[in-house]
Amino acid sequence: MRRPVGLLLLLLMHGTTYAQKVGKTEPKSFSALIKTIDSLNTLIEDTYVGAPHEGRIMAEHALLLSEKIKYNEGTGCAFLNLGHVYWSQSYYPISLFYFNSALTYLPKNKPLLLAHCYSSIGRAYTDLQNYNKALKNLNTAARFAGQDHKMLAEVYNERSFVYARLKQYDKGIALAKFAMQLSRTVNDQPAICILHSRLANAYRLKGQYTQAIAHSDTALNMSYRVNNKRLRAISFIERAVIYNSLNRYDEAIDLAKKGAALSDSIGVMDGLSSAYKTMTYSFEQKQNIVQSLVYQKKYTQALDSLNATNKRKNTELIQSYFELNSRLNAIAAVEQKTKEYGEKIHLQKAIIITLIIALCIVILALSVTYYHYKQKRILSNRMRKQHKALLIQKELIEEQSVNLAGINSLKDRLLAVIGHDLRTPIGNLHSILRLYNTGVLTDAEVRGLMREIEPVVQGAELTLSNLLEWAGSQLKGVNHEPSAVDIGLIGIEMEGTFSYLFQQKNISFKNKALPGTCVQADERHIKVVLSNLISNAIKFTSNNGVITLLSAVDGNDLIISVADTGNGIPAEKLVSLFNLNTKYTATGTSGEKGNGIGLFLCKELVEFNGGRLWVNSEINKGSTFSFSLSLIGD
């Protein structure tokens, strides 16, 4: 109850400070506003682990107030607190964005603040499993901490977590105990609570379960005193994992359920997924396959939810960034208007004095009247020009909005294709490796499976190559480096590249391209086009089929064709082959699947090189994809 009341009081203080009209900030109100910002940032430190949503609202408010008065320390602390809020909810990439933003604002003469920020960055990198960067930032934090026991304890605390993750448990335990000594000298109860959790984790991983349970009990009990709900949820789950190791599965399930419920209530997605994973193992060991599958499904859904939430949070982060900029620009505009009003008032005073003097001389009065008339016309012309400039700016903003929508749409399509077409081959490889590592598969069986999965992996590699090429062309523009390209030589290279796939289906490849005949084009682009066309031909050609690469001179152009004896394409589907929005996809003769991006990319690259792409196809007789390129001049 005290936190919401404290937040309300702070907001009222801000309202009182800004009750006056916009104008020059008085020194007294400026000092009061800084005090309000500092109070908000201090309160957030005690709030985010128990109520992250409230902490985020307060941090955003403190950020806006700090930016209004250009209070860099307040801005840096607000960014730091936003990073802590998102870190507490397991959104580590977003937390890193805010921590790094904080570094640009935190004053260089506040080493403890900088140490705290670098320590937080190190912890985020630890959670992202980038331990080299984690240790690098923690070393920087220790340098700024100097001899401050509380800050050094925080750094050694995070170092112990890194070494525990690196399976150097004895070193991690030693660092945690040293951090505990430092924390006790300054009576830092929240830090001591976290260190007990660190020690519980390290002893559990070492298999010393008695010590692990003792430290876990202490961490759990202290979490209530310091109101650290996140640590409490982690402690429940940690104890459940210990009980699983001791074959006390019923107790493990009860604790994991408590950890899951608490994680869900405060939005800690890592805790929720860990709890489901722990219960899956417990029920599996109890031979309760039904419940094990139920929690396995929940675990998978939690991971999918975390990915979806990260995507949504990234979008919200971009929106918040632009919204904040818009509000700050509005503040700057108000300040500019205030300055202009002051100048106008000063001008009006000068005009009044001039008019009083002008009353003595009629000629001077007429001159003044004419002057005002002229000024009015100038102002009118200026307003018309400003109006025209505003219309132009509006059109520019609308165009940028359309471009942004296009980029967002492009991003969504890329993510959808990656998630759909690349997950399966990677998942298959992971399954084969897991079965091999556990001894289920022999070397001979693994070699057989790898031969079978190689075409799928090559297809995934081609899909990834197409995605990268297409995304680069959409976001950065196509990089065009024309040169003399011999199609016959590229055909020889393609025959070697796809030789294994030709052997798999016993397909004959005939390179009938005119030798020594060169076209003017980007060689890399032509290789991408031919690679996609030949890959598609293999996909839709049955065993013992024939694929032919042809070229023929047509005036100043060379016509290059890839013909196959495959299934052919229905006539009504030909118009949708090269359209990404209405793309046509079908299953190959061996069950191969495509995503429709390859042909769309081929069309873009051919047209960029000054040619065109077309197709002729007949059901059950095969298809011929052809494109034209300019010949090298004499």
Side-chain angles (χ1 to χ4, degrees):
M1 182 67 184
R2 289 183 298 172
R3 286 187 178 82
V5 171
L7 175 59
L8 179 60
L9 288 174
L10 285 168
L11 292 176
L12 287 174
M13 288 171 63
H14 167 62
T16 302
T17 304
Y18 268 82
Q20 58 185 348
K21 293 182 178 179
V22 177
K24 186 177 179 180
T25 306
E26 296 294 332
K28 194 172 183 179
S29 63
F30 186 89
S31 176
L33 190 54
I34 288 179
K35 186 176 181 181
T36 299
I37 294 169
D38 291 341
S39 299
L40 272 171
N41 282 323
T42 301
L43 182 60
I44 297 164
E45 287 280 346
D46 300 325
T47 301
Y48 75 88
V49 292
H53 179 67
E54 292 179 17
R56 182 180 62 80
I57 293 173
M58 286 190 286
E60 289 176 350
H61 189 62
L63 178 61
L64 187 59
L65 294 181
S66 300
E67 284 295 300
K68 281 183 178 179
I69 62 171
K70 307 303 179 187
Y71 178 35
N72 285 344
E73 182 176 342
T75 301
C77 290
F79 275 130
L80 183 60
N81 284 323
L82 280 170
H84 288 147
V85 169
Y86 283 105
W87 170 83
S88 72
Q89 294 182 301
S90 305
Y91 304 127
Y92 305 124
I94 300 174
S95 68
L96 273 177
F97 169 83
Y98 282 111
F99 289 146
N100 285 304
S101 297
L103 286 177
T104 62
Y105 289 92
L106 292 175
K108 305 304 180 186
N109 61 347
K110 295 290 182 72
L112 294 182
L113 269 178
L114 293 169
H116 186 41
C117 189
Y118 278 110
S119 175
S120 301
I121 293 173
R123 174 57 194 268
Y125 275 124
T126 303
D127 289 316
L128 289 170
Q129 300 181 16
N130 191 335
Y131 304 119
N132 288 333
K133 285 191 175 182
L135 289 173
K136 181 180 178 181
N137 282 280
L138 290 173
N139 290 337
T140 304
R143 192 165 65 250
F144 280 108
Q147 300 300 317
D148 186 87
H149 284 192
K150 182 176 181 178
M151 196 63 247
L152 283 173
E154 179 180 329
V155 174
Y156 283 111
N157 183 348
E158 300 303 343
R159 279 181 177 171
S160 72
F161 188 45
V162 174
Y163 286 113
R165 285 285 187 90
L166 292 171
K167 299 183 180 180
Q168 299 180 30
Y169 304 123
D170 291 331
K171 190 169 185 178
I173 290 170
L175 288 170
K177 288 182 176 179
F178 182 64
M180 183 86 75
Q181 293 175 3
L182 292 174
S183 297
R184 283 174 175 161
T185 61
V186 293
N187 194 28
D188 189 352
Q189 292 297 311
I192 294 171
C193 178
I194 294 171
L195 285 163
H196 279 295
S197 176
R198 293 271 193 274
L199 289 168
N201 177 262
Y203 280 120
R204 191 260 301 170
L205 292 171
K206 282 191 68 178
Q208 298 178 5
Y209 300 121
T210 302
Q211 294 93 323
I213 291 174
H215 284 289
S216 179
D217 276 340
T218 305
L220 185 60
N221 292 330
M222 290 187 69
S223 71
Y224 288 94
R225 294 202 302 268
V226 300
N227 193 32
N228 191 334
K229 292 183 181 179
R230 186 181 192 276
L231 182 61
R232 193 180 313 155
I234 292 172
S235 296
F236 280 132
I237 299 166
E238 179 71 26
R239 176 67 70 83
V241 174
I242 294 172
Y243 281 159
N244 272 339
S245 301
L246 296 172
N247 302 327
R248 294 161 64 177
Y249 305 119
D250 290 330
E251 295 170 84
I253 291 169
D254 290 339
L255 287 168
K257 286 181 177 179
K258 291 181 180 179
L262 186 54
S263 297
D264 189 36
S265 69
I266 60 176
V268 181
M269 300 304 295
D270 273 1
L272 189 62
S273 60
S274 296
Y276 288 152
K277 184 178 180 181
T278 302
M279 285 188 277
T280 300
Y281 178 84
S282 300
F283 281 115
E284 182 180 342
Q285 297 305 308
K286 288 185 67 178
Q287 305 299 318
N288 190 339
I289 303 303
V290 174
Q291 286 297 314
S292 177
L293 290 174
V294 168
Y295 282 101
Q296 176 64 40
K297 183 177 180 181
K298 288 185 176 182
Y299 171 66
T300 303
Q301 290 173 343
L303 293 180
D304 291 340
S305 175
L306 180 59
N307 290 334
T309 303
N310 274 334
K311 176 182 175 183
R312 177 174 56 81
K313 288 291 183 182
N314 282 330
T315 302
E316 291 176 357
L317 178 62
I318 295 171
Q319 291 173 343
S320 298
Y321 178 79
F322 283 108
E323 181 183 358
L324 179 60
N325 271 347
S326 176
R327 296 174 71 180
L328 294 177
N329 288 336
I331 293 171
V334 170
E335 292 174 350
Q336 181 63 28
K337 274 191 175 182
T338 303
K339 183 179 178 181
E340 291 176 358
Y341 289 153
E343 292 175 351
K344 286 183 179 180
I345 291 172
H346 180 73
L347 178 60
Q348 289 173 355
K349 289 180 179 179
I351 292 172
I352 291 172
I353 295 173
T354 303
L355 288 173
I356 293 173
I357 297 173
L359 290 174
C360 301
I361 307 171
V362 176
I363 296 176
L364 186 58
L366 292 174
S367 298
V368 171
T369 303
Y370 175 75
Y371 170 79
H372 281 291
Y373 172 75
K374 186 177 179 181
Q375 289 297 313
K376 183 178 179 181
R377 290 194 60 182
I378 293 172
L379 182 60
S380 177
N381 290 334
R382 187 180 300 168
M383 289 180 66
R384 281 197 296 270
K385 290 180 181 178
Q386 288 177 346
H387 179 68
K388 185 177 179 180
L390 286 173
L391 290 177
I392 294 173
Q393 189 176 19
K394 179 184 176 184
E395 292 175 358
L396 179 61
I397 291 172
E398 290 174 350
E399 182 180 352
Q400 290 174 342
S401 177
V402 171
N403 290 339
L404 182 59
I407 291 174
N408 280 334
S409 176
L410 168 63
K411 175 199 66 178
D412 292 339
R413 291 200 296 271
L414 286 176
L415 290 175
V417 170
I418 291 171
H420 182 270
D421 293 335
L422 302 184
R423 180 180 294 176
T424 299
I426 293 174
N428 290 341
L429 284 173
H430 181 263
S431 298
I432 292 172
L433 290 173
R434 184 173 59 187
L435 291 172
Y436 177 71
N437 289 332
T438 55
V440 175
L441 296 176
T442 64
D443 290 348
E445 289 172 329
V446 170
R447 285 194 293 273
L449 288 172
M450 294 304 283
R451 282 195 295 271
E452 292 177 7
I453 203 174
E454 183 176 357
V456 179
V457 174
Q458 284 188 343
E461 183 181 12
L462 181 59
T463 295
L464 181 58
S465 176
N466 286 340
L467 284 170
L468 293 174
E469 186 72 34
W470 179 52
S473 69
Q474 294 295 309
L475 296 175
K476 301 178 182 177
V478 181
N479 185 17
H480 187 226
E481 297 179 359
S483 62
V485 180
D486 189 330
I487 301 300
L489 293 179
I490 293 181
I492 295 172
E493 182 179 339
M494 292 294 108
E495 183 175 5
T497 300
F498 292 99
S499 60
Y500 179 79
L501 294 180
F502 292 146
Q503 293 174 12
Q504 288 289 96
K505 287 189 171 184
N506 196 24
I507 292 174
S508 297
F509 178 76
K510 298 181 179 180
N511 183 3
K512 294 185 178 181
L514 297 174
T517 304
C518 297
V519 294
Q520 181 75 16
D522 189 305
E523 184 174 356
R524 182 172 57 86
H525 293 172
I526 304 310
K527 287 182 179 179
V528 171
V529 172
L530 287 176
S531 178
N532 275 281
L533 295 180
I534 294 173
S535 175
N536 283 345
I538 294 171
K539 187 185 304 180
F540 297 107
T541 300
S542 302
N543 293 341
N544 303 314
V546 178
I547 297 174
T548 306
L549 174 63
L550 302 162
S551 67
V553 176
D554 183 12
N556 294 326
D557 293 336
L558 184 68
I559 308 301
I560 303 105
S561 302
V562 175
D564 62 59
T565 59
N567 298 336
I569 303 169
E572 66 273 11
K573 299 296 184 181
L574 291 177
V575 294
S576 63
L577 279 178
F578 307 110
N579 191 327
L580 190 60
N581 293 322
T582 59
K583 61 181 181 291
Y584 166 72
T585 60
T587 302
T589 59
S590 297
E592 304 98 329
K593 294 183 179 180
N595 51 60
I597 284 182
L599 288 177
F600 178 76
L601 178 61
C602 289
K603 181 176 181 294
E604 279 196 346
L605 292 179
V606 168
E607 290 177 352
F608 193 80
N609 283 274
R612 64 185 185 91
L613 175 67
W614 66 92
V615 60
N616 295 309
S617 183
E618 191 173 345
I619 297 296
N620 297 326
K621 291 189 177 181
S623 303
T624 300
F625 285 83
S626 304
F627 61 96
S628 63
L629 292 171
S630 298
L631 287 165
I632 294 291
D634 293 334

